[in-house]
Amino acid sequence: MQKLISVIIPAYNQQKFIERCIRSILNQTIARDKYDIIIIDDGSVDKTLKIIRKYKDDISILSNEKNEGLPYSLNKAIKESNAQYVVRLDSDDYVNENFLQFLSVYLNTNKNVDAVSCDYTLVDNKEEIIERKSANIDPKIGRAS
């Protein structure tokens, strides 16, 4: 059966954040049979892949033998998807439990839209809010890992 959404998460040396990311996307309000999760480890040399494998029953895992870079990894994961929509999530992100529900409702009711982005909140390593950002005003931010 085709899924409504594939959540694609590329990961490279994200042992500090990947588990939080996975837990947040597994705990969505949308029915679990409506979406799948594809995580691609891009040749991590830390414990990222070991952590990802703890969730092997709930996610699809792809792995590059060496670091191939973000575009390569994303394309590899997209080819694995057979869902109606693809959602890209960074491995150091975590999302609200309604994230996929809101995105899918919006896309299903606005058939002329090809892509969406959402506002986001920047947090520090203690998960304290630094700043709220509008995707319309500041769609791209730099990442500090």
Side-chain angles (χ1 to χ4, degrees):
M1 180 175 89
Q2 182 185 29
K3 302 284 184 180
L4 179 65
I5 301 167
S6 280
V7 179
I8 294 176
I9 306 169
Y12 177 70
N13 290 343
Q14 287 292 324
Q15 70 182 19
K16 184 174 180 180
F17 300 110
I18 190 66
E19 193 159 18
R20 177 184 68 183
C21 177
I22 294 169
R23 285 193 318 264
S24 77
I25 206 65
L26 283 172
N27 291 310
Q28 295 293 295
T29 55
I30 191 172
R32 187 63 183 89
D33 65 348
K34 300 270 189 216
Y35 70 101
D36 61 4
I37 303 165
I38 303 169
I39 300 181
I40 180 155
D41 177 70
D42 191 17
S44 294
V45 294
D46 65 358
K47 296 178 183 173
T48 299
L49 187 55
K50 182 178 179 180
I51 294 166
I52 292 169
R53 286 183 175 145
K54 290 184 348 185
Y55 295 89
K56 69 182 182 322
D57 294 336
D58 298 309
I59 64 175
S60 297
I61 303 170
L62 302 175
S63 185
N64 297 334
E65 288 189 29
K66 64 181 178 110
N67 183 257
E68 298 285 356
L70 185 61
Y72 178 92
S73 296
L74 289 173
N75 286 330
K76 186 174 179 178
I78 289 168
K79 288 177 186 173
E80 288 294 312
S81 171
N82 69 351
Q84 184 176 353
Y85 303 120
V86 172
V87 173
R88 181 181 176 275
L89 195 60
D90 288 328
S91 54
D92 62 346
D93 291 344
Y94 62 101
V95 294
N96 180 283
E97 65 187 2
N98 296 305
F99 177 67
L100 295 180
Q101 183 69 39
F102 290 156
L103 290 178
S104 63
V105 167
Y106 183 83
L107 287 167
N108 282 332
T109 56
N110 293 280
K111 297 293 186 185
N112 60 330
V113 174
D114 293 324
V116 295
S117 61
C118 61
D119 294 349
Y120 54 96
T121 305
L122 296 176
V123 297
D124 63 17
N125 286 336
K126 295 177 184 176
E127 297 185 16
E128 297 197 18
I129 296 173
I130 298 171
E131 185 178 3
R132 296 187 191 280
K133 294 284 195 171
S134 166
N136 289 332
I137 297 169
D138 193 4
K140 183 178 177 186
I141 61 168
R143 296 258 181 229
S145 297

